[in-house]
Amino acid sequence: MNRDADIESEVRFSPGVLYRNLGDGGILVDTKNGNYFALNRTGAVFLEALTRSGKATSALEDVRQLYPVEDGVLEKDMLDLLADLIDARLLETVKGQR
Amino acid sequence: MSRGDADAFWFPPGTVFLREKFNRGQETQSKLVLKSFEQIGGLEFDLSCWRTPDGYLLSSIGGASILVSDGGLRITCSGDTEPDAATTMLLWGPVAILALALQGAFCLHASAVALNGKAWVFAGDSGRGKSTLARYLQQERHWKRLADDILPVCASKDGATVLPHFLQLKLPRNEQVGPEVPRRVALAGVLHLESREEGSAEDVTCQRLSRQEALKFLIHQSVATRLMDADLLSEHFIACSNIAMGVPVWSLQFVRQREALPVVASLLESISAENEPIR
């Protein structure tokens, strides 16, 4: 688990990472090494909100409006996803802006 | 500057071939994309691929340097002699693939056949029966074989087409597609061949892949992506995404026996009759 990922994280795509929403979810590919990461619909909504705003807090709020589940559950799932994407070097935290 | 014989090879219309001496010193202003030993058409190359301000420069140690520029429409061989066998193989292989990619057509490692004017593509790892199936369908079912190894595909949000006139190095000259075949054929579907060694010839299954699975498969089956820089890889990703979004991709599983081929053919004919590409 990436310890840098928390609710206050500001992130962006790592260089060379491409993303596409395919309707039934999304897929990220790292063109530097060919690694893929598939996202379900909820994950795709979160990632798109995250990369629009750059902020985990506002992305979480966007997802919460679409998927009304318990706050703690949603937050844990999304932060786990965020940590996985950072661990996979598909997203990077923006330094010095926190 | 002189026009070479290379225009006798298959390249997209409008491609200009030149032979001239050019300054390989431009490598210093360029980014190395790939340096590796490669086998192309049975020959070995110590190949370098550079992204230059003008395009892509491919060079092999002891051999020619070839510049692909002007969006893939201008191909310049260094020196003023006739291309030797190694240079010719570079032209037919990675140069042609890069030139097409710069024009928006990306190559799959695949065979292909046409039925009722639409292309069906068979992709998969080596030894899975791509060539055998395409040959069987042509000889026994009278589908038209379009490709045997490398197939350029163009894709946009409006649909996908294949370019069947790409030279198939594995086929003799008299088995290349003829002028009766259109330069572009609409792509109806892609099949991921997953043949197995044991089982019943009757046991043939075909399962539609999710778009995510389809996209991963198409990227994996793409040819020469290691020669592409980040911008071209981005275009390749978009093209593969468009195919995954608009064209059905199936996993086709069958046993590697000749007796299975009629069963596979019947299944494909049934899919072809039912298939309406998703938009």
Side-chain angles (χ1 to χ4, degrees), chain B residues 21-215:
Chain B
K21 291 179 180 172
F22 55 80
N23 178 18
R24 288 184 59 172
Q26 62 186 297
E27 289 174 8
T28 56
Q29 312 163 29
S30 307
K31 183 182 173 191
L32 182 65
V33 182
L34 174 78
K35 179 167 175 54
S36 131
F37 282 100
E38 300 288 328
Q39 266 218 342
I40 304 164
L43 301 177
E44 290 192 343
F45 294 85
D46 187 355
L47 187 68
S48 298
C49 178
W50 300 79
R51 186 70 172 97
T52 78
D54 299 324
Y56 283 87
L57 177 66
L58 284 104
S59 60
S60 64
I61 288 182
S65 292
I66 304 171
L67 181 66
V68 186
S69 57
D70 285 351
L73 285 172
R74 178 181 293 257
I75 293 168
T76 310
C77 290
S78 63
D80 51 10
T81 57
E82 295 292 315
D84 58 12
T87 305
T88 301
M89 205 52 71
L90 281 182
L91 282 166
W92 283 346
V95 169
I97 291 170
L98 266 179
L100 282 164
L102 288 165
Q103 296 171 55
F106 295 92
C107 289
L108 294 177
H109 179 211
S111 66
V113 291
L115 182 66
N116 299 329
K118 290 188 175 177
W120 293 84
V121 171
F122 307 131
D125 295 337
S126 295
R128 297 295 178 169
K130 299 184 293 292
S131 297
T132 305
L133 181 57
R135 190 185 319 116
Y136 173 83
L137 290 169
Q138 172 159 274
Q139 291 176 349
E140 305 294 333
R141 299 289 183 131
H142 306 298
W143 295 39
K144 178 70 183 173
R145 182 171 57 188
L146 300 177
D148 186 57
D149 189 38
I150 304 290
L151 180 69
V153 182
C154 291
S156 70
K157 288 183 177 173
D158 299 324
T161 54
V162 305
L163 310 182
H165 286 260
F166 188 81
L167 184 67
Q168 301 296 311
L169 290 176
K170 288 189 174 177
L171 294 180
R173 186 167 288 275
N174 63 354
E175 293 186 31
Q176 305 289 329
V177 297
E180 77 284 1
V181 176
R183 297 197 74 85
R184 288 175 180 266
V185 179
L187 174 57
V190 178
L191 291 118
H192 174 193
L193 299 198
E194 296 187 279
S195 58
R196 55 184 186 276
E197 295 299 325
E198 295 180 354
S200 162
E202 297 295 320
D203 187 11
V204 176
T205 60
C206 197
Q207 188 174 7
R208 180 85 178 258
L209 299 183
S210 71
R211 289 170 178 171
Q212 289 178 330
E213 292 168 328
L215 175 54

Side-chain angles (χ1 to χ4, degrees), chain B residues 208-258:
Chain B
R208 180 85 178 258
L209 299 183
S210 71
R211 289 170 178 171
Q212 289 178 330
E213 292 168 328
L215 175 54
K216 284 192 273 188
F217 174 66
L218 292 165
I219 292 172
H220 182 67
Q221 294 299 321
S222 297
V223 176
T225 50
R226 292 186 305 147
L227 299 174
M228 300 175 191
D229 71 350
D231 289 343
L232 198 51
L233 280 173
S234 177
E235 290 180 30
H236 167 254
F237 180 71
I238 291 167
C240 289
S241 304
N242 286 333
I243 300 172
M245 295 280 281
V247 176
V249 180
W250 287 276
S251 163
L252 177 64
Q253 302 196 7
F254 61 101
V255 66
R256 286 196 64 186
Q257 294 172 3
R258 183 161 178 82

